[in-house]
Amino acid sequence: MTAASGKRFGKVLIQAGLITEEQLAEALSQADGRSLTAVLVDENIATEQRIAQAVAESMGLAFVDLGAYEIDPNAAMMLSSDLAKRHSVLPIKVQDDQLVVAMADPANIFAIDDLRIVTGYEIRPVVATESDVLSAIEKFATMHQDVDRMVGDIEDVSVETEREEEAAADEEAPVAKLMNLIITEAIRQGAGDIYIEPFENELRVRYRIDGVCQEVMRSPKKLHRQLISRLKITSGMDIAERRVPQDGRFGVVLDGKSVDFRVAVLPAVNGEMSVLRLLRKDAIMLGLEDLGFLERPMQILLDALDKPYGAILVTGPTGSGKSTTLYAAINKTTRPTVNLITVEDPVEYRLEGLSQVQVNEKAGLTFAAALRSILRQDPDVVMIGEIRDKETATIAIEAALTGHLVLSTLHTNDAPSALTRLTEMGVEPFLSASAINCVMAQRLARRLCKECKEPYTPDSEALDRIGFPYEPGNIPTLYRAVGCNKCNNIGYKGRMGIHEVLTVTETIERACVNHASGDEIKRLAMEEGMRTLRDDGFEKVKMGVTSIEEILRVVV
């Protein structure tokens, strides 16, 4: 920090009432190449945190705790580490075509001008402590150097086809280190999926966090083949086969937590693309009470699980948390006195003390074939990963009618449609209606960030337009997303389930036998007290845990 910029920064601190003119003059005289902040902290005049907060308040800027902030790597790497260190600045994200930059000294107009010229963006400064900024700069400089060095090393190594397997299997090879870096960062950032996607001239890596994709890295196309080869070796695929899709899996332990990866490789126009699904062991140890159930739907599900036989179906699109809910239900039923067997494709979570069967279509072990054999093992509870065809559906329903508790998933948009879907598959409606205890439809909605959610009073016309329930003349106070450093300025952090639970009563059973439509079954269920997905979501909006916009996004 130059003497001139130190004086400008000092005047901001004086205006904020943090120091006096005399203290500023004394600190500047003792600077000796150090920043004004460093001198004030060393002299115990003020803490770094207090200085940064005072500057933010005085200049009307946001204060950011970089230690808890998820910095966008693409933004952070827009500046060279030398330039970032010279001005004590770090770009943390791009928002509304502006570059948001964390600065220890936002009064440094020369730094802002330099950033504008180098990046081509308009600069929006936010305030952070000097040590946090320098620490983050060092972290990203090291990461950037690691990636660049790994990429350089990979490009320098000429791997012949016959030696490719040996090179990819080498744990000390640059490609292995790069893959480890991608995987480690994904786990630490809480990603659910990793996408490795080749384009004509480059390779893109993205993470899916809370259901939203975020780009984290772009690299030269040259390293794509070795990266995919490394991934195939790790997950037990055929490294020489590049013409057909392949699946595999592997596991890692990071920070004491075990994470399994389910890997799918697919040939595409520009080369093989890959998706890695992260399966965290701690996710399946969740109880039903951790999944966001309201009291009545939870009780209906628990009552169904307490019955010794019958079927419980969970419906919803891919990625709606059906497997997590099934495993939570299994945790409720797993006891030494209960024989519980699952048949899955694939087995996502491998559990101790549980008999799990992996479907193998090539070997003839289909869901139906596995299920027939499982029933000869005299199970009390059977979990079927998914009902896909008539044969599986028929065996599952017959098992539920003959003294087994059957848990499974089905792809339908809502709970009542599950009953008509089984009929369309060829299951007699009187059988399915008699066998099924309850059907639960599910979606995943993001939770509002607890730190920054904002209360507001909505307009009655807007509520009427979307059918939001409220008492006339008594408009409720709701919450909406704002964004802060704790949630990466998204406004949401974490997810929860939105549920629709249908109990198959005598009325519903008669309607099924009479081939009632899904809409008719839904109407009867609502008359008997069923909450729809939208009703459940709106109730959680009233509770302040999510927003109207989020419910409308995930529920049709």
Side-chain angles (χ1 to χ4, degrees):
M1 185 181 288
T2 64
S5 62
K7 288 180 181 178
R8 282 194 302 273
F9 187 58
K11 287 179 180 178
V12 173
L13 297 180
I14 291 170
Q15 290 172 357
L18 196 63
I19 61 173
T20 63
E21 292 274 5
E22 292 76 16
Q23 286 174 320
L24 173 60
E26 180 68 20
L28 290 174
S29 68
Q30 296 179 18
D32 193 25
R34 293 180 295 164
S35 68
L36 179 59
T37 297
V39 175
L40 294 175
V41 170
D42 289 346
E43 295 297 319
N44 293 321
I45 296 174
T47 64
E48 265 199 288
Q49 187 93 355
R50 184 69 193 98
I51 291 171
Q53 289 174 340
V55 170
E57 290 169 11
S58 175
M59 299 183 68
L61 300 174
F63 171 76
V64 173
D65 177 6
L66 289 183
Y69 192 92
E70 291 182 10
I71 299 166
D72 180 354
N74 293 311
M77 293 180 183
M78 283 184 184
L79 294 186
S80 68
S81 58
D82 290 340
L83 181 60
K85 288 176 182 176
R86 188 189 317 149
H87 294 307
S88 294
V89 298
L90 181 71
I92 57 176
K93 71 171 181 176
V94 177
Q95 186 176 48
D96 300 329
D97 292 328
Q98 293 182 316
L99 186 63
V100 181
V101 179
M103 306 181 68
D105 175 14
N108 189 344
I109 56 175
F110 298 110
I112 293 174
D113 286 342
D114 283 353
L115 295 180
R116 187 182 294 114
I117 293 167
V118 169
T119 65
Y121 282 96
E122 283 300 314
I123 305 301
R124 186 199 302 174
V126 295
V127 185
T129 64
E130 186 173 36
S131 61
D132 278 355
V133 171
L134 294 175
S135 175
I137 290 170
E138 196 62 39
K139 169 190 167 186
F140 280 98
T142 302
M143 180 180 175
H144 199 217
Q145 288 166 5
D146 286 346
V147 172
D148 284 347
R149 187 178 65 254
M150 291 173 196
V151 171
D153 290 345
I154 292 169
E155 291 176 342
D156 290 341
V157 177
S158 176
V159 182
E160 299 173 4
T161 303
E162 59 268 23
R163 293 186 55 245
E164 190 170 314
E165 182 169 344
E166 180 184 343
D170 183 1
E171 293 295 330
E172 296 302 315
V175 68
K177 293 178 180 177
L178 180 58
M179 180 57 75
N180 290 341
L181 179 66
I182 292 170
I183 287 170
T184 300
E185 284 301 308
I187 295 172
R188 287 181 173 156
Q189 291 188 35
D193 299 280
I194 304 172
Y195 300 89
I196 300 175
E197 303 160 306
F199 296 102
E200 188 173 355
N201 299 311
E202 61 184 354
L203 176 71
R204 180 175 71 177
V205 178
R206 292 189 295 168
Y207 297 158
R208 185 182 292 277
I209 301 173
D210 278 345
V212 179
C213 286
Q214 300 177 16
E215 183 177 316
V216 294
M217 190 178 85
R218 281 184 183 261
S219 296
K221 177 72 177 294
K222 293 179 182 179
L223 67 84
H224 167 252
R225 183 163 164 173
Q226 290 188 53
L227 201 60
I228 293 296
S229 294
R230 171 66 190 175
L231 188 59
K232 286 180 177 180
I233 288 289
T234 306
S235 50
M237 299 182 199
D238 182 356
I239 192 172
E241 181 57 75
R242 300 189 180 92
R243 298 165 300 173
V244 297
Q246 295 189 67
D247 297 306
R249 67 185 303 143
F250 64 92
V252 301
V253 177
L254 181 67
D255 300 333
K257 294 183 178 179
S258 178
V259 182
D260 283 343
F261 286 80
R262 193 179 79 203
V263 185
V265 174
L266 177 68
V269 173
N270 294 306
E272 292 173 291
M273 62 180 292
S274 181
V275 179
L276 292 76
R277 168 67 58 89
L278 280 73
L279 306 169
R280 292 174 172 79
K281 294 289 181 70
D282 52 358
I284 56 170
M285 301 315 292
L286 294 173
L288 289 170
E289 58 278 1
D290 301 317
L291 303 181
F293 278 94
L294 295 177
E295 185 176 349
R296 188 169 184 274
M298 166 74 92
Q299 193 57 52
I300 294 171
L301 188 56
L302 290 176
D303 290 345
L305 288 169
D306 282 339
K307 293 181 179 179
Y309 58 87
I312 298 172
L313 302 181
V314 183
T315 77
T318 301
S320 60
K322 299 189 297 296
S323 295
T324 301
T325 300
L326 278 184
Y327 279 111
I330 285 175
N331 288 337
K332 283 285 183 185
T333 58
T334 302
R335 295 184 295 275
T337 56
V338 173
N339 183 16
L340 197 158
I341 305 177
T342 77
V343 52
E344 305 167 67
D345 182 23
V347 174
E348 292 192 338
Y349 300 100
R350 297 180 182 179
L351 302 176
E352 292 292 330
L354 190 65
S355 301
Q356 295 174 277
V357 177
Q358 168 84 51
V359 166
N360 187 339
E361 298 277 354
K362 290 180 181 178
L365 186 60
T366 62
F367 270 112
L371 195 48
R372 278 194 297 270
S373 297
I374 282 172
L375 294 178
R376 298 189 195 109
Q377 303 292 323
D378 192 29
D380 299 298
V381 182
V382 179
M383 194 272 268
I384 307 168
E386 182 184 345
I387 293 177
R388 297 177 178 173
D389 52 53
K390 177 183 176 181
E391 194 175 5
T392 305
T394 301
I395 298 170
I397 293 300
E398 288 176 353
L401 288 169
T402 54
H404 306 86
L405 183 62
V406 177
L407 287 74
S408 188
T409 69
L410 196 64
H411 281 283
T412 62
N413 288 328
D414 59 13
S417 297
L419 298 168
T420 56
R421 175 77 178 118
L422 289 172
T423 303
E424 290 166 2
M425 282 183 171
V427 180
E428 290 294 337
F430 71 89
L431 290 177
S432 57
S434 301
I436 296 172
N437 293 336
C438 77
V439 183
M440 185 182 75
Q442 179 169 311
R443 299 289 188 278
L444 287 178
R446 292 179 295 175
R447 292 179 181 270
L448 283 168
C449 174
K450 294 178 182 179
E451 303 294 328
C452 65
K453 65 181 183 180
E454 178 183 74
Y456 74 105
T457 303
D459 180 72
S460 59
E461 292 182 6
L463 295 182
D464 293 338
R465 192 162 53 248
I466 62 173
F468 191 92
Y470 69 97
E471 295 179 10
N474 186 21
I475 297 176
T477 297
L478 305 180
Y479 290 83
R480 58 188 168 202
V482 176
C484 67
N485 60 319
K486 299 291 184 183
C487 62
N488 202 14
N489 280 306
I490 295 172
Y492 298 94
K493 195 169 182 65
R495 292 191 288 178
M496 64 179 177
I498 305 297
H499 307 100
E500 174 181 287
V501 183
L502 165 70
T503 305
V504 181
T505 62
E506 289 184 11
T507 304
I508 302 296
E509 190 173 338
R510 282 196 299 270
C512 288
V513 172
N514 293 327
H515 295 273
S517 67
D519 289 340
E520 178 64 17
I521 294 172
K522 183 175 183 177
R523 184 185 63 79
L524 292 171
M526 290 175 67
E527 288 176 359
E528 294 187 337
M530 182 189 80
R531 283 179 177 269
T532 65
L533 284 165
R534 182 171 282 208
D535 293 337
D536 191 84
F538 284 162
E539 187 62 31
K540 285 161 185 172
V541 170
K542 288 182 179 179
M543 293 165 62
V545 293
T546 190
S547 67
I548 285 180
E549 292 77 14
E550 182 65 6
I551 297 303
L552 296 179
R553 182 182 73 86
V554 300
V555 179
V556 178

